[in-house]
Structure formats: C-alpha cells, structure tokens
Amino acid sequence: MDGILIIDKPQGMTSHDVINALRRKYGQKKFGHTGTLDPEATGVLVVLCGKATKALQFLTDTDKTYIAQFELGKRTDTDDIWGNVIETKPVRTDFDLNEVLQSFVGPLHQKVPMTSNKRYKGRKLLEYQRKGVTVPDVYQDVTVYSVQALNDDTFRIHCSSGTYVRSICRDLGEKTGNAACMKSLRRVQVGRFTIDQAQTIEEEPKLYSMAQVLDHLPKIEPEDCQPVYQGKRLYLDREEPLVCIYENGEPIAVYEKEAPRQYHSKRGLW
C-alpha cells in the first residue's frame, strides 16, 4: 500500500501507537507520520505509507490548526490537565480573552514544556523530568498565524509546525494573572489536509497518491526516464530549486538545482 492516509487519532494513543496499529492491520512495515500528537490529543495525523515515506522531506505545507480548551486555576508540570499540579491560584476573569490571544500572533520565542521530546544536550526533556533533574529552560522559535476565541475557555489557533499549544495555554495564564493549563486539544488541519478528510484506524483506507502530495513541485516528464533511474544529472531550462520528475503520470524522483540549467537527483521515489 503506497500513498497518504489521513487518520483521526483517538485520545489515549500515541502517534507511534497509530503507526503500530496500521502495521498490524495492513501487514507492512513502511509507515511514517508528519507530526506527533500528544497521547491525550485527537485529530489529524498525516500518515505516509510504503513508497510515500520517501516523500516526507518534501512536504512543505505542514502548518497546523488546532482547537484547544484551557482550564484556569491550576498549573501542572506537563502544562496540561494530565500532569501533576504544581500551583493553584484563585481564578481571575477580568480580561478580554480575544485581546490576550492576539498578543501571541506573529513570531514567538516559545518556552518548550518539560514534558516533551525536545532535546537538551542530546537527551529528551521528559527524560530529565522523569529523573527529577533540573535543566535550563529550552526555547524555540515558532509562528502563530492567527488565533481566535471560540468561547470563554476555547480557542482556534493556526500556527507553524513545532508550536506547543500547551505552552500557549500556560502563557495565557501568566498574561492574565492566572495559573492555567490545557484541558483538551484537537488538531483539525495539517497543511492542506483537514479533519473532514480524516478516517478512523478501523475504516477502509482512502489513500491519497504521492502525486497529490507533491503537486506543489513543478512537474517534469522527460521522454526518456532512464537517466533518472540511474541517478544521473539532468539539464533543464528551469529556475525552480526543486522539480519533480514523472513517468506515465507518476512521480519517480525529486531533483534539486545545483547550477544554471543543471539538476542533481535529490531523492528517488520508486
């Protein structure tokens, strides 16, 4: 099975659990995904199957959209309600939620949750946390494109890949004089793929082809594809940094520009 599956990840499963379930169901090993979802989060998980795993590095539209709910009055060591409570405070409601949310829009130097797979000196932060080892705060640069309040404790956020919505909920608390953590999270879009396209693991698969995933790259279909299969350079009158080579309507390789009119093979897809 080769192509892309859009899975609606259920609560209580890790992204790796989903991959393992698909391996058992379809009897093949080659599966990968484009972005981890926390175990208690639900929603869109883009899964690449078979040959499509070779196209992972060329997926450029990986921005995410989430619907998140937060809880005021407590802060936890995981920045969500499933962690240990480390602070409680009386709830303050004397703020305009939409106004506070707009302060997150734009480039953001975000403090990463300690319960995460981000690394410090080669080890995951959650490994330090489990052992009770204190390490300096870790930050990463992300972008929030838009955010809007849906009701008093829920918001919709469109952000770059790598954004921790748990951190947004935590920081929202700090900005409003509250202790806060995330209460629920649902990913409703990854790039061009939406929750309306998502299926459960149990449903019959609806596969999206590699051609659909790579259609953002210029399409080149040479008369003779033998040099492509041999990994040879191609001389093309193009300006784009990356092009996708097709044979009989199917993508077979991605080529990268290395000099004027000269491209080398970046990745074979057969």
Side-chain angles (χ1 to χ4, degrees):
M1 183 168 68
D2 303 309
I4 313 295
L5 285 174
I6 312 302
I7 297 295
D8 186 352
K9 189 191 84 65
Q11 190 174 34
M13 291 184 75
T14 67
S15 301
H16 193 63
D17 288 339
V18 172
I19 296 300
N20 284 338
L22 292 171
R23 285 171 176 161
R24 290 192 299 269
K25 180 177 180 179
Y26 297 110
Q28 72 176 46
K29 292 184 177 180
K30 285 191 175 181
F31 286 96
H33 60 78
T34 65
T36 300
L37 263 177
D38 290 339
E40 301 304 330
T42 66
V44 176
L45 186 68
V46 178
V47 178
L48 297 92
C49 318
K51 294 178 182 178
T53 56
K54 299 178 180 180
L56 177 60
Q57 62 181 298
F58 306 114
L59 292 178
T60 57
D61 54 343
T62 55
D63 294 345
K64 314 291 197 305
T65 301
Y66 300 90
I67 293 177
Q69 185 179 27
F70 60 89
E71 181 174 321
L72 299 179
K74 65 182 180 184
R75 189 164 65 92
T76 71
D77 59 357
T78 58
D79 296 327
D80 58 34
I81 63 169
W82 298 282
N84 299 311
V85 176
I86 56 176
E87 181 186 16
T88 59
K89 293 176 71 172
V91 173
R92 295 183 55 177
T93 59
D94 55 339
F95 61 91
D96 183 306
L97 178 57
N98 232 356
E99 184 178 315
V100 175
L101 289 172
Q102 297 316 304
S103 68
F104 291 101
V105 175
L108 198 62
H109 192 55
Q110 185 179 62
K111 179 182 170 183
V112 174
M114 274 301 296
T115 307
S116 70
N117 289 323
K118 289 296 289 184
R119 293 179 180 271
Y120 174 75
K121 292 188 175 180
R123 297 178 62 182
K124 296 178 181 179
L125 290 179
L126 58 83
E127 294 177 1
Y128 290 107
Q129 187 184 56
R130 287 169 181 166
K131 293 183 178 181
V133 177
T134 301
V135 298
D137 292 336
V138 175
Y139 290 81
Q140 66 179 8
D141 293 320
V142 298
T143 302
V144 174
Y145 302 110
S146 65
V147 60
Q148 65 178 115
L150 300 181
N151 56 45
D152 290 344
D153 65 354
T154 307
F155 60 90
R156 183 184 184 96
I157 183 168
H158 176 208
C159 51
S160 64
S161 183
T163 303
Y164 284 91
V165 183
R166 284 182 283 150
S167 294
I168 299 287
C169 294
R170 178 201 65 214
D171 294 346
L172 183 151
E174 293 180 0
K175 289 184 178 218
T176 60
N178 283 288
C181 59
M182 190 179 72
K183 188 175 183 179
S184 68
L185 185 67
R186 183 155 177 78
R187 191 155 70 191
V188 295
Q189 188 163 354
V190 176
R192 76 194 79 175
F193 300 112
T194 69
I195 194 65
D196 294 335
Q197 297 168 282
Q199 304 173 278
T200 66
I201 298 171
E202 294 77 22
E203 288 181 287
E204 285 302 308
K206 179 181 179 182
L207 277 175
Y208 294 86
S209 69
M210 266 206 295
Q212 289 173 288
V213 173
L214 295 172
D215 62 6
H216 62 288
L217 297 178
K219 180 179 178 180
I220 307 290
E221 192 151 1
E223 290 185 9
D224 180 12
C225 289
Q226 195 59 34
V228 177
Y229 289 111
Q230 295 171 351
K232 293 183 178 179
R233 284 178 171 79
L234 297 180
Y235 297 90
L236 306 169
D237 190 16
R238 308 288 303 214
E239 296 298 327
E240 298 89 351
L242 291 174
V243 297
C244 191
I245 310 300
Y246 283 70
E247 183 181 42
N248 300 323
E250 294 296 326
I252 59 170
V254 173
Y255 269 66
E256 182 177 40
K257 189 173 186 178
E258 63 181 1
R261 301 186 68 248
Q262 184 172 298
Y263 286 76
H264 72 274
S265 180
K266 181 78 171 174
R267 188 66 156 104
L269 303 174
W270 59 86

